[in-house]
Amino acid sequence: MLITPVLLCGGSGTRLWPLSRKSYPKQFVPLMGEETLFQASARRLAGQTDSLRFAAPMVLTNSGFRFIVAEQLQAIGIDPGAILIEPEGRNTAPAVLAAALRAQAEDPGAVLLVAPSDHVVPDTAAFHAAVAKGLEAVAEGRLVTFGITPAHAETAYGYLELAALPGPDGAAVPLKQFVEKPDAARAADMLAAGNFKWNAGIFLFRAADIIAAFETHAPALTAPVQAALDQAQPDLGFLRLAPEPWGRAEDISIDYAVMEKAENLSVVPFDAAWSDLGGWDAVWRGSGPDAEGVVTSGGATAIDCRDTLLRADSERLEVVGIGLDGIMAVAMNDAVLVADKSRAQDVKLAVAALKKKGASQATQFPKDHRPWGWFESLAVGERFQVKRILVHPGAALSLQSHVHRSEHWIVVEGTAKVTVDGEVKLVTENESVYVPLGAVHRMENPGKVPMVLIEVQTGAYVGEDDIVRYEDVYARG
Amino acid sequence: MLITPVLLCGGSGTRLWPLSRKSYPKQFVPLMGEETLFQASARRLAGQTDSLRFAAPMVLTNSGFRFIVAEQLQAIGIDPGAILIEPEGRNTAPAVLAAALRAQAEDPGAVLLVAPSDHVVPDTAAFHAAVAKGLEAVAEGRLVTFGITPAHAETAYGYLELAALPGPDGAAVPLKQFVEKPDAARAADMLAAGNFKWNAGIFLFRAADIIAAFETHAPALTAPVQAALDQAQPDLGFLRLAPEPWGRAEDISIDYAVMEKAENLSVVPFDAAWSDLGGWDAVWRGSGPDAEGVVTSGGATAIDCRDTLLRADSERLEVVGIGLDGIMAVAMNDAVLVADKSRAQDVKLAVAALKKKGASQATQFPKDHRPWGWFESLAVGERFQVKRILVHPGAALSLQSHVHRSEHWIVVEGTAKVTVDGEVKLVTENESVYVPLGAVHRMENPGKVPMVLIEVQTGAYVGEDDIVRYEDVYARG
């Protein structure tokens, strides 16, 4: 049976700061292994097995992340069926409803698998097997959720109480009720009982069934979400939902809006490993601590440490821990977190403190991702700034000028097509171009490989906002 | 009475890594406040008071640090009497003897104050008062050492046992004996006794008296050290001791060679604050911990921490600690140390581990100091490197060429005089120069302010050793 994956990736948490920042949150970062969590999620829901086949995914994200989504899918060779842009975050209920309404319009029998894009599920085959079990229940008109078999008495998750103990066949079991985040004693009881599972927020259903459930349990949502879809604007391959009706949709989770009220819920038990990486302690746990409880990554070295996470998450960075017990240290070139392991849920305090002191590290990733590629600042002086800029093949920056700065460009990889005051030329590795103050200029990569250049800006003011845009293929202001 | 300061600064410890590295050790780093420890030491031994007057200092260092020494003295307006370069480290005895022989040759009545250049003595007036007390004993032919009144039962220092309790006048007291580093119980006993002081390795004596002591207690040292002086080569204002005789001098400390044997030692008690910053715990203690025992510096933020040191020692770096107790974290852009506070003496293990894995951070400071200024690498790619280069006013790089790389120079501060294949031109802020592969070139700063330029190297190999030198005002190979 054909399944359309619906990947939710508009969120941006702070609990994995400094690696996850508002400008570039954890789903887009290679937290575990080579691929990003979003890429791994998309890959997990692609291809086919004997019993199921995935259609091109539908992705729901926000405007700021749209080019990251497109770029990361392209990098792993997955063509998105659609990338829907939420004008503002309204939690999961409106997003899921929008996906369902759109899918049903294209195929009245559409089946959707809705999943967050920042979870870790190492055993794809086990997950596919669970989805196949779910399809049996979906065929009977059930709304299926996946219940993770608890690995420990976790107090940070909601639980699903099953109406019966799961059978050895792994088939879906009717849901008895949702259970709010428990205290430690209750969590231990549920761990022992066997018919309680973690609520992972992964769902499988026919579009028609979830739309019907919305109509029954959250009828006010349908009109604004349908209108946001009907008035949506295509934009360079993205579909921008209409802001005005979208803003009228209630800001509510699908659990509160529908799932906790619906009578036709079933739970497929999932016994294999799963993590939502809800904090650095979860990353530690998911990274396979050694016999001493130590996890290191990147250029990190642990000496006489126990129960400790040490990460070096930038190039050319060495981190050394000595005699640590129960510590999490995550270092980047521009920001370092050192926290007691029991305080994983308080990392948001670091972000709040940095915001208060006006430090850009609170929200801004060192690499600033743009539709055409990315740049990072290498050095800033009184009257100059040095940037490394990467432009994707075929991409172009806007036609622009600056009031306060001149720019020197030196191409160090690939070939650039450069326009300065109407004159166009190709500039290749080891060649340079000078852009005088006030000149109208554009940089493009006409080639087949990424183009990297070093930009040296000089002038009295070198801020990002000294820019006048004349034309922009990405329709930015 | 005129006193010639003798500053010893050839050493390079590893216990304050990553801020102290072999290429740029702690005495040259602004560890506490704006000035470096070496600068603060030189300033403490300059000028005059009612009872004493300092001559220009004599500095003993090694070849690698000579330009750092000259630059840091110039920056605080202190003109060195002489900078003696030890061809190799032979511990303190040969160094002090060389200083004494040289001083006596110039002035038979010379009085020397020998001091390490990496100690912290916040109260300069108290120190001067102690030196004045010492002069009284020196006038009677005594060798004076300064004994720090213990602030706690330290086990990492040697002690000086005084023949009597010091009087209220602070006058020198004859030494009874040296005491090796004690265990904790013995240290506590000595703390309670009142006639035991820490041996800080700071000495005051007439050159003639210490030379006589060497002749009595370490007679084999005089001939090679005198020969190293006699055959010394002046070099751009430095005095290079002759390597061959210097290598024959025994590698031994002045305590072992002379002080522990001499009969004419006196101790001036020093009651004010002092630290040799022998580890990050000492830096923590000397930095004035707050009521919770927390010290932060640079862009460091402590949240719910106790008994903790958090330092951000690079520009544009934020460090946040959460819930830490007894932790020392010192972060730079390229290296981070996180250690339990009880393990301050084990930081050398971090350096050893990084050496073993071949990481340059073990020994190399990000800024590479050269006679003409410094450079730092901003970015390295497959076939390129970007550097920020600062050239001091009046300084010049060697006339050189490269076999594997071209260079683009963009001046961002000041004015450069550039020679490329015989052609000379001035290049000022916002101007660029291209140096083709193989071209013979030189960069100079003819101006009165530092010149900063960004260098973009491209080529198949961008290592420091791709250099052919034709002329070098600093007489390097």
Side-chain angles (χ1 to χ4, degrees):
Chain A
M1 195 184 285
L2 189 68
I3 301 172
T4 299
V6 176
L7 286 163
L8 307 176
C9 65
S12 56
T14 58
R15 289 178 297 178
L16 294 185
W17 184 89
L19 212 61
S20 178
R21 307 190 198 178
K22 197 178 176 197
S23 80
Y24 206 74
K26 70 171 179 178
Q27 61 266 33
F28 300 122
V29 173
L31 257 167
M32 320 270 283
E34 297 281 301
E35 287 187 343
T36 70
L37 300 179
F38 170 66
Q39 288 175 320
S41 299
R43 195 189 286 285
R44 190 159 54 243
L45 306 181
Q48 60 182 67
T49 71
D50 287 348
S51 48
L52 49 86
R53 188 159 63 88
F54 290 107
M58 196 184 309
V59 181
L60 281 106
T61 189
N62 64 46
S63 187
F65 300 154
R66 68 195 193 280
F67 292 104
I68 305 173
V69 164
E71 181 188 329
Q72 294 206 347
L73 288 177
Q74 189 189 21
I76 58 169
I78 290 181
D79 206 6
I83 300 175
L84 274 57
I85 298 171
E86 304 168 59
E88 59 183 302
R90 307 299 284 168
N91 211 326
T92 47
V96 172
L97 180 55
L101 290 169
R102 182 183 154 89
Q104 201 201 26
E106 295 194 338
D107 170 10
V111 172
L112 306 182
L113 196 159
V114 176
S117 58
D118 57 356
H119 291 182
V120 173
V121 183
D123 188 343
T124 298
F127 185 70
H128 286 174
V131 172
K133 287 292 172 192
L135 285 176
E136 297 167 10
V138 165
E140 294 164 12
R142 309 289 292 181
L143 307 178
V144 169
T145 180
F146 294 84
I148 314 295
T149 301
H152 55 268
E154 177 66 57
T155 59
Y157 301 147
Y159 284 68
L160 304 165
E161 182 178 359
L162 280 54
L165 282 173
D169 61 353
V173 177
L175 177 81
K176 185 169 172 194
Q177 62 175 345
F178 281 82
V179 180
E180 294 285 326
K181 292 177 186 173
D183 60 23
R186 177 93 175 99
D189 287 348
M190 290 192 286
L191 179 63
N195 64 324
F196 290 86
K197 303 285 176 181
W198 289 339
N199 179 7
I202 308 173
F203 302 104
L204 185 70
F205 36 59
R206 286 193 294 233
D209 293 334
I210 193 70
I211 291 168
F214 270 102
E215 278 165 6
T216 304
H217 303 295
L221 276 176
T222 308
V225 172
Q226 184 67 62
L229 265 178
D230 292 343
Q231 301 162 34
Q233 296 291 329
D235 170 20
L236 299 167
F238 305 106
L239 187 66
R240 289 183 178 277
L241 297 169
E244 187 278 322
W246 185 258
R248 283 189 281 116
E250 191 184 357
D251 185 327
I252 187 170
S253 77
I254 188 165
D255 278 6
Y256 281 121
V258 174
M259 296 301 177
E260 296 191 5
K261 299 170 183 165
E263 306 272 305
N264 58 333
L265 251 69
S266 288
V267 181
V268 172
F270 185 67
D271 294 335
W274 166 92
S275 172
D276 70 346
L277 296 185
W280 284 115
D281 53 345
V283 173
W284 169 82
R285 200 179 299 118
S287 303
D290 68 14
E292 303 296 320
V294 171
V295 169
T296 58
S297 69
T301 304
I303 299 171
D304 300 339
C305 294
R306 293 184 52 227
D307 189 27
T308 281
L309 174 72
L310 285 179
R311 291 179 63 113
D313 277 300
S314 292
E315 291 166 47
R316 307 168 79 198
L317 177 62
E318 294 290 338
V319 177
V320 182
I322 302 177
L324 303 175
D325 190 351
I327 295 291
M328 312 182 296
V330 181
M332 300 179 66
N333 290 141
D334 70 331
V336 178
L337 170 75
V338 185
D340 193 84
K341 204 153 146 285
S342 68
R343 303 292 295 269
Q345 296 305 307
D346 291 329
V347 171
K348 57 184 183 289
L349 299 177
V351 176
L354 292 183
K355 266 190 191 159
K356 198 171 164 193
K357 71 185 269 198
S360 65
Q361 287 92 332
T363 55
Q364 289 298 309
F365 216 67
K367 277 187 187 168
D368 200 334
H369 288 259
R370 298 297 170 102
W372 42 261
W374 54 258
F375 68 84
E376 63 181 336
S377 178
L378 298 177
V380 180
E382 190 77 7
R383 289 172 51 82
F384 73 93
Q385 179 169 212
V386 185
K387 286 182 180 176
R388 169 164 31 188
I389 298 175
L390 180 143
V391 183
H392 295 307
L397 279 69
S398 63
L399 186 69
Q400 58 188 241
S401 68
H402 310 293
V403 175
H404 297 290
R405 68 177 190 252
S406 314
E407 294 177 349
H408 296 258
W409 297 344
I410 297 109
V411 176
V412 293
E413 283 178 32
T415 299
K417 182 177 160 192
V418 168
T419 306
V420 179
D421 281 338
E423 192 180 328
V424 180
K425 62 176 167 178
L426 288 178
V427 184
T428 190
E429 195 178 304
N430 195 29
E431 294 181 339
S432 68
V433 172
Y434 178 59
V435 181
L437 190 155
V440 176
H441 58 280
R442 184 202 293 277
M443 180 192 302
E444 296 167 72
N445 179 358
K448 301 295 180 197
V449 297
M451 185 271 287
V452 179
L453 62 73
I454 304 301
E455 175 177 280
V456 181
Q457 309 174 343
T458 60
Y461 178 75
V462 291
E464 288 304 314
D465 54 345
D466 174 17
I467 186 166
V468 181
R469 284 210 178 96
Y470 302 91
E471 281 172 34
D472 183 16
V473 295
Y474 309 106
R476 296 170 299 173
Chain B
M1 195 183 288
L2 189 66
I3 300 172
T4 299
V6 177
L7 286 163
L8 308 176
C9 63
S12 56
T14 57
R15 288 179 296 179
L16 294 185
W17 184 89
L19 212 61
S20 179
R21 306 190 198 177
K22 196 177 175 199
S23 79
Y24 206 76
K26 71 172 179 177
Q27 61 267 31
F28 301 122
V29 173
L31 258 166
M32 320 270 284
E34 298 281 302
E35 288 187 342
T36 70
L37 300 178
F38 170 67
Q39 288 174 321
S41 299
R43 194 188 287 284
R44 188 160 56 243
L45 305 182
Q48 60 181 65
T49 72
D50 287 347
S51 48
L52 49 85
R53 187 158 64 88
F54 289 106
M58 197 183 311
V59 181
L60 281 105
T61 189
N62 64 46
S63 187
F65 301 154
R66 69 195 192 279
F67 292 105
I68 305 174
V69 164
E71 180 188 328
Q72 293 206 347
L73 287 177
Q74 189 189 23
I76 59 170
I78 290 181
D79 207 5
I83 300 175
L84 273 57
I85 299 172
E86 303 168 60
E88 58 183 305
R90 306 301 284 169
N91 211 326
T92 48
V96 172
L97 180 55
L101 290 170
R102 183 183 154 90
Q104 201 201 26
E106 295 195 340
D107 171 11
V111 172
L112 306 182
L113 196 158
V114 176
S117 57
D118 56 356
H119 290 183
V120 173
V121 184
D123 187 344
T124 298
F127 185 71
H128 287 174
V131 172
K133 288 291 172 192
L135 284 176
E136 297 168 9
V138 165
E140 294 162 11
R142 309 288 293 180
L143 306 179
V144 171
T145 181
F146 295 83
I148 314 295
T149 301
H152 56 268
E154 177 65 58
T155 59
Y157 300 147
Y159 285 67
L160 304 165
E161 182 178 357
L162 280 55
L165 283 172
D169 62 352
V173 177
L175 177 80
K176 184 171 174 194
Q177 62 175 346
F178 281 80
V179 181
E180 295 284 325
K181 291 176 187 174
D183 60 22
R186 177 92 175 101
D189 287 349
M190 290 192 287
L191 179 65
N195 64 324
F196 290 87
K197 304 284 176 182
W198 290 339
N199 179 7
I202 307 173
F203 302 105
L204 185 71
F205 36 59
R206 285 193 294 233
D209 293 332
I210 193 71
I211 291 169
F214 269 101
E215 278 164 8
T216 305
H217 304 294
L221 275 175
T222 308
V225 171
Q226 184 66 62
L229 264 178
D230 292 342
Q231 302 162 33
Q233 297 292 329
D235 171 17
L236 298 167
F238 306 108
L239 188 66
R240 289 183 178 275
L241 297 169
E244 188 277 322
W246 186 256
R248 285 190 279 116
E250 189 182 1
D251 186 328
I252 187 170
S253 77
I254 188 164
D255 279 5
Y256 281 121
V258 174
M259 297 301 178
E260 297 191 4
K261 299 171 185 167
E263 307 272 305
N264 58 333
L265 252 68
S266 289
V267 181
V268 172
F270 185 66
D271 295 334
W274 166 90
S275 172
D276 70 346
L277 296 186
W280 284 116
D281 52 344
V283 173
W284 169 83
R285 199 180 299 116
S287 303
D290 68 14
E292 303 296 319
V294 172
V295 169
T296 59
S297 69
T301 304
I303 298 172
D304 299 338
C305 293
R306 293 185 51 229
D307 190 26
T308 282
L309 173 72
L310 285 180
R311 291 179 62 113
D313 277 300
S314 292
E315 292 167 45
R316 305 167 81 198
L317 177 62
E318 294 290 338
V319 177
V320 182
I322 302 177
L324 303 175
D325 190 351
I327 295 291
M328 312 182 297
V330 180
M332 299 180 67
N333 289 142
D334 70 332
V336 178
L337 170 74
V338 185
D340 192 85
K341 205 152 144 284
S342 69
R343 302 293 294 268
Q345 295 306 306
D346 290 330
V347 171
K348 56 182 182 292
L349 299 177
V351 177
L354 292 183
K355 267 189 189 157
K356 200 171 163 194
K357 69 185 271 196
S360 64
Q361 286 92 335
T363 56
Q364 289 299 310
F365 216 67
K367 277 187 187 168
D368 200 335
H369 288 258
R370 298 296 169 105
W372 42 261
W374 53 257
F375 68 84
E376 62 181 336
S377 178
L378 299 177
V380 180
E382 190 76 7
R383 290 171 51 82
F384 72 93
Q385 178 168 212
V386 185
K387 285 181 179 177
R388 169 164 30 187
I389 298 175
L390 181 143
V391 183
H392 296 306
L397 278 68
S398 62
L399 186 69
Q400 57 189 243
S401 67
H402 310 292
V403 174
H404 297 291
R405 68 176 189 250
S406 314
E407 295 177 348
H408 296 258
W409 298 344
I410 297 108
V411 176
V412 294
E413 282 177 33
T415 299
K417 183 177 161 192
V418 169
T419 307
V420 179
D421 281 340
E423 192 180 329
V424 180
K425 61 176 169 178
L426 288 178
V427 184
T428 190
E429 195 178 304
N430 195 30
E431 294 181 340
S432 67
V433 172
Y434 177 59
V435 182
L437 191 154
V440 176
H441 59 279
R442 185 202 292 276
M443 179 194 300
E444 297 168 71
N445 178 0
K448 300 294 181 200
V449 296
M451 185 272 285
V452 179
L453 63 72
I454 303 300
E455 175 177 279
V456 181
Q457 309 174 343
T458 60
Y461 177 76
V462 291
E464 288 306 313
D465 54 345
D466 174 16
I467 185 165
V468 182
R469 284 209 178 97
Y470 303 90
E471 283 173 33
D472 183 16
V473 296
Y474 309 107
R476 296 169 299 173

